[in-house]
Amino acid sequence: MSRNNLLEPATVVGASNLKLTVNLDALAENWRFLDSLSGKDVETAAVIKANAYGLGIEQVAPALAKAGCRTFYVAIEEEGLRTRNVVDDAQIFILNGIHPDAAKKTAAQRVSPVISSRPQLNFWAKYSKPGTPCAIHIDTGMNRLGLSASDVDALLEDQSSLGNLVPEFVMSHLACADDPEHPKNREQLSSFEKLSSKFPGIKRSFANSAGVFLGADYHFEQTRPGIALYGAEAVNNVPNPMKPVVFAAVRILQIRTASKGKTVGYGASCTLKRPTKIAIASVGYADGFHRAMSGSGVPLRGDGSSGGLGAIGNHLVPVIGRLSMDLTAFDVSDVPDNELEQSEWIELFGNRISIDDAARNCGTIGYELLTSLGSRYKRNYLGTS
Ligand SMILES: *Cc1c(COP(=O)(O)O)cnc(C)c1O
């Protein structure tokens, strides 16, 4: 045995208590649907940052490439290199930019920077060989990443500052696209039209998932959806047209009964109002089942909302008391005995409970729920990869 083996994670012994099923066919279908919402000449890229929103770059990227996706966006260098390992002929851009220390390695793998600041531009202008692709991010009002309007003017006054750089795309990012009526959408659109016109002949990329739904004005030459690919809501307060992609479930470890007046869990924050059948399941905040899912005893529950839910078949089973690092108690009193006896698993989301509802139950959004799932899930991929 080499020394290195000692550092590798222990081999999983026995069955896993958490399962995550990812349907790659539904993912591909979602990509094709988003692609169909923009014109034939508009390219649909895919955002697969944060390990493809927690679902696995190694599986998600090839499935999207097979569906026809030719451009991938990730957040950091390592994600770009991982993407290159599994898709050979697509363009890969790093949204957070590439640190000079990583430039050699990423260039060798044809992984390209999205340039967002003057210092980055100066570095890449000197570093890049003729024809090296990059994208330029301009800020249109979000004040996150991107060159400002005055940076763009300065750059264009001195064209030599671009060096050998040939921007493949100029891009910007919408701050409020999840609210179609928000006036900021139009403001950013007109700012993007104005600033991008200073780069004639360069393709433009503007819309995230929600931006795709804002209509053709927002599509330009390329769209960049992320969350909608994974089946979660992109736009607030409208029915979600995407196919569900992810299903998560936890194993029941034991079922106990406790009488009225007893308490459950840390802090004894929940006093039972009736004789209760309790399923103890092998999931906790270490698995991204956030502590705010607790039925009581956490700040979020001060607002009167009822906390997280699981499902057994069609029956919703509420979380009771504070959930802990590795364990959660669910009230299963209302599940008929014959169904309960046969149930090994409690659904966390994906079928009876949408990702977005699960996220709302703990005061967050589908994006955060997916990207914090943790490493204890046994991941199972269905369909093409
Ligand atoms: C994350 C991200 C996207 C994708 O956004 P979704 O809302 O997930 O579709 C697109 N562009 C940029 C710059 C991003 O950071």
Side-chain angles (χ1 to χ4, degrees), residues 125-206:
K126 292 201 191 79
Y127 183 87
S128 298
K129 300 192 176 55
T132 314
C134 69
I136 289 187
H137 190 160
I138 48 186
D139 179 56
T140 51
M142 188 166 179
N143 276 305
R144 200 173 65 168
L145 289 177
L147 298 175
S148 66
S150 59
D151 288 335
V152 171
D153 286 340
L155 166 67
L156 296 177
E157 257 165 45
D158 177 14
Q159 287 273 352
S160 69
S161 61
L162 270 177
N164 287 321
L165 283 181
V166 188
E168 191 92 7
F169 291 100
V170 273
M171 54 162 286
S172 191
H173 192 45
L174 285 156
C176 305
D178 56 348
D179 174 4
E181 304 306 324
H182 203 293
K184 187 126 193 136
N185 295 325
R186 284 266 149 206
E187 281 166 32
Q188 284 193 271
L189 177 63
S190 83
S191 167
F192 187 58
E193 281 168 338
K194 196 165 128 222
L195 291 169
S196 64
S197 72
K198 300 184 180 192
F199 299 87
I202 309 289
K203 290 184 281 185
R204 296 160 295 175
S205 179
F206 191 43

Side-chain angles (χ1 to χ4, degrees), residues 166-358:
V166 188
E168 191 92 7
F169 291 100
V170 273
M171 54 162 286
S172 191
H173 192 45
L174 285 156
C176 305
D178 56 348
D179 174 4
E181 304 306 324
H182 203 293
K184 187 126 193 136
N185 295 325
R186 284 266 149 206
E187 281 166 32
Q188 284 193 271
L189 177 63
S190 83
S191 167
F192 187 58
E193 281 168 338
K194 196 165 128 222
L195 291 169
S196 64
S197 72
K198 300 184 180 192
F199 299 87
I202 309 289
K203 290 184 281 185
R204 296 160 295 175
S205 179
F206 191 43
N208 61 345
S209 302
V212 175
F213 292 99
L214 288 177
D217 287 355
Y218 289 80
H219 294 163
F220 297 93
E221 281 73 47
Q222 185 201 62
T223 63
R224 294 189 314 274
I227 194 72
L229 294 169
Y230 310 105
E233 288 173 14
V235 184
N236 299 336
N237 304 320
V238 296
N240 179 4
M242 309 314 294
K243 280 255 146 80
V245 171
V246 205
F247 172 84
V250 59
R251 191 187 294 281
I252 298 171
L253 299 176
Q254 63 168 255
I255 294 180
R256 59 194 311 125
T257 48
S259 51
K260 183 177 166 184
K262 300 286 185 196
T263 64
V264 180
Y266 282 125
S269 69
C270 162
T271 303
L272 297 175
K273 296 191 181 72
R274 58 172 179 173
T276 304
K277 215 180 283 176
I278 303 167
I280 305 297
S282 183
V283 65
Y285 56 77
D287 306 298
F289 199 61
H290 297 305
R291 191 164 175 273
M293 288 279 191
S294 297
S296 56
V298 295
L300 203 63
R301 295 288 88 81
D303 68 0
S305 64
S306 57
L309 295 168
I312 293 179
N314 237 348
H315 309 280
L316 292 173
V317 293
V319 174
I320 27 179
R322 278 187 190 150
L323 62 84
S324 43
M325 187 187 292
D326 323 287
L327 294 166
T328 298
F330 293 88
D331 182 346
V332 295
S333 309
D334 296 333
V335 182
D337 282 344
N338 59 334
E339 276 184 66
L340 196 56
E341 274 157 26
Q342 288 171 19
S343 303
E344 240 184 291
W345 299 90
I346 294 178
E347 173 191 333
L348 299 175
F349 58 81
N351 187 19
R352 176 72 175 81
I353 304 167
S354 73
I355 296 174
D356 300 286
D357 282 342

Side-chain angles (χ1 to χ4, degrees), residues 43-54:
E43 182 194 355
T44 301
V47 178
I48 57 168
K49 59 195 182 192
N51 195 28
Y53 290 50

